[in-house]
Amino acid sequence: MPKIPIAHWVDVIVEWLSIHWASFFKGLSNLITYVVDIFTWLFMLPHPFLFVIIIALLGYMAGRWTMAFFSAIGFLLIYNLGYWTETMNTLGLVVTAALISIIIGVPLGIWCASSKIAARIITPVLDFMQTMPAFVYLLPAVTFFSLGVVPGVVASVIFAIPPTIRMTHLGITQVSGELIEAADAFGSTGGQRLFKVQLPLALPSVMAGINQTIMLSLSMVVIASMIGAQGIGAVVYRAVGQLKIGEGFEAGLAVVVLAIVLDRLSQSLFNGKRSKKAA
Amino acid sequence: MSILEIKNVSKLFGPNAEQGVKLLEQGWTKEKMAKEKQITVGVNRVNMEINQGEIFVIMGLSGSGKSTLVRMFNRLIEPTSGEILVHGKDLRKMNKEQLRNARRKTISMVFQKFALFPHRTVLENVEYGLEIQKVAKAQRREKAITSLELVGLKGWGDKMPDELSGGMQQRVGLARALANDPEVLLMDEAFSALDPLIRRDMQDELLELQDKMKKTIIFITHDLDEALRIGDRIALMKDGAVVQIGTPEEIMIQPANSYVERFVEDVDLSKVLTAAHVMRRPETITLDRGPRVALELMRERGISNLFVIDRSKKLLGIITAEDAATAVRQQQKLDDILIKDVPYVAPERMLNDLFELVSTAKLPVAVVDERERLTGVIVRGALLGALAGGVENEEVALNA
Ligand SMILES: Nc1ncnc2c1ncn2[C@@H]1O[C@H](COP(=O)(O)OP(=O)(O)OP(=O)(O)O)[C@@H](O)[C@H]1O
Ligand SMILES: [Mg+2]
């Protein structure tokens, strides 16, 4: 029996796309670079100490003193270790990837919730994206976007977007049927029902999805650094490659700090709002 | 005048639902349809006319199709066949826009589990219907506040729904439905989730509101007591079809078939029958007659007292045989022996609320209408007789 030439097909498709859609990818690449640059510039704008104070304040607003304290100590540590610029680069990449994931993911989630057919097509694609090893789509990303931060962002988005889509879908379908009936019975249009009833009620679920998305895109930073993305991931990658165990540990610590702070901040983004309203 | 006309409306669930309608017409039962065609009959060729300003109760056991029927009145559920005429216009022929308009302006709904939006304050909930019509903020606020006041929730607007008790939440549900100033209110088991005492209060308040607002209310319940308390007319459903439509009295007294009979047989008649049902024709005399005439009348009829009325039948009081005899001897006039403090009740008074009065009163209890005219008398024997079973036609006729 002859082998099915899947590899060949994929190669052909990738090549065709990289030739005929070159200007599209070029434009997209410029846009993503631009966004990452803006975020990184923004994060580098204040003096690290001021940044630490801002983060601590956010931490305080998000949770408690402990949160503020931990954030401050964590970022001071990063500064002290000398990974400030790298960390801010990574933050820029992660925030960009998360933002793109939200912009694409939430509407896709809404679409899944409103159309059974869409859900039936998108769900297996999501499974595919999440289980396919990330390295595999790193290469086509490089083919389309060449080396640098952009393929890193793209790979992160592909890897990290599923939770946002899934949780938006779930959140909307979980809104009780009686509330949907109520919205309809008063004569809502589809859009009014979505924006005034379904989405607000799905918000906790959507936020949980976004939180997971942020975490996942952070977990991609080392992989992204393999294709030339600057940042703390690159430090880890280099240190490991040169068997500098101590340095690798330091950089890993910076990733951990970033992860915990991002996790808590994004989690409380919704909870904070809610407790204010109830008060 | 009818505001809502339901013509031959059916709803079938399952494959080939359209073909199922023909089978229904051939007399297939709900069971047969389920077994042989895998079709669930939700509603089976229902006809009804609902009048402006009435409380129309749809009653039936669980699964009899009440919710399905009422949801077709605003097309939350699409009928399989039939016509639903609102002011003579077929709801089924309306496009999306027209339907939305009907839902916004004409027909509102109150839900069993309240269905308040948990992320909106009470006031924002009440405003919802106006908000989606893009009514200006100040104006819709004002209407919402008025609507909240109407249901007795003044000052609760800033709370979140889950801070309110069940009864209050349903008032919000009612206020939300009223804020649009609709002509028709659909209430699907609106009070079923409330505990009995609060439920009772809500029923009373609904009746009070209805007195003021004169909406057309379609009220679903599986509780006969509730139906009898608030319904002007009642439709009884079984297996998706209407078995009988009539006033509470008609349903109770002339059940259309054995199903209705069984449905109503456990009902406490004292909560259904009124003074008008059991009253007898009163023996009367006018004030310008003498005591001698009165005495003679009583002797002739074999009774010991007489109601005194004026020419317009207005009740003035009562005289006893004893006093009349004394008056004859002492040459008094009727006026001198007239007892003005007569126990009386309105014709609508439920028997339930009548026992105590009748059993403690020394004089017969008069039934007096709203123009103070004497229309009947409650005799203890007849009262007990009515509860023991049949109400004879004579008394029913008196009501008319
Ligand atoms: N979406 C649906 N799909 C299939 N069958 C349905 C659907 N909705 C209702 N039915 C069936 O239609 C019939 C009528 O249901 P409906 O909910 O109208 O009854 P109900 O009188 O409101 O009962 P309850 O007192 O329990 O609320 C039932 O046999 C029910 O199983
Ligand atoms: Mg029901």
Side-chain angles (χ1 to χ4, degrees), chain B residues 283-285 292-303 306:
Chain B
E283 299 299 339
T284 57
I285 188 168
R292 201 174 293 275
V293 180
L295 208 54
E296 183 52 35
L297 263 175
M298 284 189 258
R299 192 173 300 145
E300 202 176 281
R301 304 267 154 89
I303 50 179
L306 273 183

Side-chain angles (χ1 to χ4, degrees), chain B residues 123 126 130 138-154 175 178-179 209 212-213:
Chain B
L123 195 65
V126 178
L130 299 164
Q139 201 182 342
R140 68 181 195 237
R141 273 275 124 114
E142 195 186 307
K143 279 196 181 171
I145 289 172
T146 314
S147 193
L148 270 181
E149 270 172 32
L150 209 57
V151 299
L153 284 182
K154 189 176 177 179
L178 289 174
L209 268 179
K212 278 187 244 164
M213 318 213 24

Side-chain angles (χ1 to χ4, degrees), chain B residues 41-238:
Chain B
V41 179
V43 169
N44 183 355
R45 289 168 300 154
V46 163
N47 287 289
M48 50 180 61
E49 244 177 72
I50 291 149
N51 299 321
Q52 190 117 41
E54 75 175 334
I55 300 186
F56 189 90
V57 173
I58 300 175
M59 186 177 64
L61 299 175
S62 187
S64 57
K66 310 179 294 290
S67 296
T68 308
L69 179 62
V70 83
R71 274 167 178 68
M72 291 193 281
F73 294 178
N74 60 356
R75 264 178 68 190
L76 282 182
I77 293 180
E78 292 291 345
T80 310
S81 70
E83 286 171 67
I84 294 162
L85 306 175
V86 183
H87 286 305
K89 274 198 221 115
D90 193 349
L91 211 61
R92 289 187 70 198
K93 297 210 178 95
M94 291 184 184
N95 62 25
K96 274 193 177 168
E97 170 95 40
Q98 292 166 320
L99 176 63
R100 261 205 306 276
N101 259 325
R103 287 171 174 177
R104 288 174 175 185
K105 305 257 160 69
T106 319
I107 308 170
S108 274
M109 195 157 186
V110 181
F111 294 84
Q112 177 168 5
K113 293 189 193 113
F114 322 139
L116 300 180
F117 302 124
H119 59 296
R120 299 177 139 240
T121 65
V122 164
L123 195 65
E124 286 166 352
N125 263 282
V126 178
E127 277 180 340
Y128 184 83
L130 299 164
E131 183 180 322
I132 58 176
Q133 293 179 44
K134 309 220 164 70
V135 174
K137 183 148 188 164
Q139 201 182 342
R140 68 181 195 237
R141 273 275 124 114
E142 195 186 307
K143 279 196 181 171
I145 289 172
T146 314
S147 193
L148 270 181
E149 270 172 32
L150 209 57
V151 299
L153 284 182
K154 189 176 177 179
W156 289 84
D158 291 333
K159 298 271 188 238
M160 298 307 280
D162 60 5
E163 296 175 80
L164 270 53
S165 70
M168 291 164 89
Q169 288 189 33
Q170 193 54 302
R171 279 164 215 253
V172 178
L174 194 55
R176 178 174 66 176
L178 289 174
N180 285 8
D181 198 23
E183 293 172 65
V184 181
L185 268 185
L186 306 177
M187 304 180 73
D188 186 5
E189 307 226 17
F191 301 154
S192 300
L194 306 175
D195 60 52
L197 283 177
I198 294 177
R199 189 168 179 171
R200 218 21 212 266
D201 289 345
M202 290 294 281
Q203 292 166 357
D204 289 342
E205 266 175 60
L206 183 68
L207 290 174
E208 233 171 81
L209 268 179
Q210 173 65 353
D211 262 354
K212 278 187 244 164
M213 318 213 24
K214 304 278 183 243
K215 302 283 179 201
T216 305
I217 299 177
I218 297 169
F219 194 101
I220 308 284
T221 181
H222 57 244
D223 179 31
L224 184 60
D225 274 351
E226 187 165 67
L228 296 171
R229 258 174 76 82
I230 66 172
D232 292 319
R233 286 194 302 148
I234 299 174
L236 198 74
M237 290 184 72
K238 176 183 188 256

